[in-house]
Amino acid sequence: MSIDPPLGLLAELTHRCPLRCPYCSNPVELARLAQELDTETWLRVFREAADLGVLQLHLSGGEPTLRRDLPALVRGAAEAGLYTNLITAGVTLDAARVEALAEAGLDHVQLSVQDAEAASADRIGGQAGGHAKKLAAAAAIRAAGLPLTLNAVVHRQNLDRLPALIDLALALGAQRMEVAHVQYYGWALANRDALLPTRAQLDAATAVVDAARAGLKGRLVIDYVVPDYHAERPKACMGGWGRAVMAVSPAGRALPCHAAESLPGFDFPNVRDHGLSAIWEGSEAFNRFRGTAWMTGPCRGCPRAEQDWGGCRCQAFALTGDAAATDPACALSPRHHLLAEAVAEAALAGSGFTYREPGRPPSPRS
């Protein structure tokens, strides 16, 4: 099978973060500072990524701005010919740091917000004053001449303020906005009952996005990522396992998606020991769910098999205990009922969070 190179590399530079978001996409077992790749190893990885054919580099975390070597990493990536996108919470950015990153060759910034209202945003993020720091960071980003995308992670506790979040994106000078419903694994799975929206909320949010896309055409591009729990067909997670994106964890594990460390029974190769090309093309972990040969019914032979690529392996494992199972987001899955049961259960739940805490992983859901 011919394997095309990945379009993007997600470099998770650190799991350290001053925020404690209850929907954090990091694994519940967070990598420590002593485990993080050093500067030279990351720079080698970036060069290998460019040689492999990667075009876009997404610098993420945790909070990537906690890396003191971030300007050097950006400069090295730019020199390798990669388009660099910084994914940040913004709470540790000031004008001087933003200017240094711009001078190093940073191409774009994706800034996350937890809500349009400061009190709610600070409660969700778990840091007093965090929202105000984000607004200041956005101003510094625009003053430095960097393109800005606002990333609004939405869920039951902020979804009703989606119109205000869109207004905030416009006020901050963002050219693009990502309205991303929480995806439920890791920390978000532990907080699913407090985060999962009702179907009425989802339908109202979709109508808001549709109207905004029409009314703001030419001013603001809105990407929309919907939750699978109200779906009849799964999404092609990360464009398909081992097809479009490679992620590298702070400790150097190469992953087909950033959540794949949640899956048992894998020996994910480490970039300390193997080159990116060998990992992408030859590792068992990347090839296990690549393509369609691994599929069983009802996925095998399905006319959508090469569209959704079986859906999300991490979600399949989180819900069924089997990473090779049909994603329950598909109506043809024998476990599809689990999603409706989760929605009904969440509708009766409270609003309290289990916050992201290093060294204190949440108890797994039964």
Side-chain angles (χ1 to χ4, degrees):
M1 176 176 63
S2 177
I3 301 172
D4 293 331
L7 173 66
L9 176 70
L10 177 65
E12 295 191 299
L13 302 180
T14 181
H15 281 160
R16 293 172 286 142
C17 184
L19 299 185
R20 302 187 296 142
C21 300
Y23 52 75
C24 181
S25 62
N26 288 158
V28 294
E29 295 289 348
L30 299 169
R32 300 293 186 171
L33 174 61
Q35 297 173 292
E36 293 177 10
L37 297 180
D38 60 23
T39 307
E40 290 306 315
T41 303
W42 274 121
L43 292 177
R44 173 179 59 79
V45 168
F46 297 163
R47 292 191 296 268
E48 290 181 357
D51 291 341
L52 181 58
V54 169
L55 301 177
Q56 301 171 357
L57 173 66
H58 304 281
L59 300 166
S60 181
E63 178 46 59
T65 61
L66 294 180
R67 292 276 305 217
R68 295 181 181 179
D69 59 353
L70 185 58
L73 295 177
V74 169
R75 183 174 295 107
E79 290 173 351
L82 297 171
Y83 179 92
T84 54
N85 173 41
L86 176 66
I87 304 173
T88 177
V91 295
T92 60
L93 278 177
D94 57 24
R97 194 81 191 280
V98 172
E99 190 62 38
L101 292 171
E103 291 177 358
L106 185 66
D107 292 301
H108 182 272
V109 180
Q110 186 172 327
L111 177 69
S112 66
V113 293
Q114 279 69 42
D115 205 331
E117 295 180 355
S120 177
D122 291 350
R123 183 182 75 86
I124 294 169
Q127 184 190 74
H131 187 67
K133 294 175 183 176
K134 290 171 179 287
L135 301 186
I141 291 163
R142 297 301 296 125
L146 289 168
L148 173 64
T149 291
L150 196 70
N151 181 30
V153 181
V154 294
H155 45 82
R156 178 155 56 99
Q157 300 196 35
N158 67 5
L159 197 53
D160 295 338
R161 289 181 290 281
L162 181 54
L165 282 162
I166 294 172
D167 289 342
L168 179 62
L170 293 169
L172 295 179
Q175 293 86 23
R176 182 180 291 272
M177 181 180 189
E178 181 174 306
V179 178
H181 283 265
V182 170
Q183 304 299 305
Y184 294 96
Y185 39 72
W187 295 91
L189 184 63
N191 286 287
R192 187 178 67 188
D193 287 349
L195 295 169
L196 191 60
T198 65
R199 182 58 191 244
Q201 277 188 308
L202 174 60
D203 290 344
T206 301
V208 168
V209 170
D210 288 344
R213 281 173 165 169
L216 299 173
K217 189 174 183 179
R219 295 179 59 196
L220 181 69
V221 175
I222 302 179
D223 297 325
Y224 189 44
V225 181
V226 299
D228 288 329
Y229 278 65
H230 296 284
E232 294 296 315
R233 293 290 183 267
K235 295 190 289 289
C237 183
M238 304 296 284
W241 180 280
R243 290 185 57 82
V245 176
M246 176 188 286
V248 177
S249 77
R253 293 185 185 90
L255 307 165
C257 82
H258 59 283
E261 283 185 288
S262 67
L263 301 178
F266 280 85
D267 181 17
F268 290 111
N270 198 295
V271 298
R272 289 187 171 101
D273 307 315
H274 306 278
L276 242 58
S277 179
I279 291 172
W280 179 254
E281 296 173 1
S283 70
E284 189 278 335
F286 274 77
N287 281 302
R288 187 180 301 189
F289 296 127
R290 182 177 265 151
T292 61
W294 60 274
M295 295 178 180
T296 58
C299 293
R300 182 182 289 272
C302 175
R304 293 178 55 90
E306 294 190 7
Q307 299 175 39
D308 58 40
W309 302 105
C312 178
R313 297 301 88 218
C314 299
Q315 182 162 268
F317 173 73
L319 291 171
T320 73
D322 180 5
T326 299
D327 186 341
C330 182
L332 300 177
S333 165
R335 309 277 183 82
H336 186 63
H337 64 91
L338 294 174
L339 303 185
E341 292 170 5
V343 171
E345 184 179 322
L348 303 174
S351 59
F353 293 137
T354 297
Y355 285 100
R356 175 192 192 272
E357 296 284 358
R360 293 171 56 191
S363 299
R365 295 185 61 91
S366 58

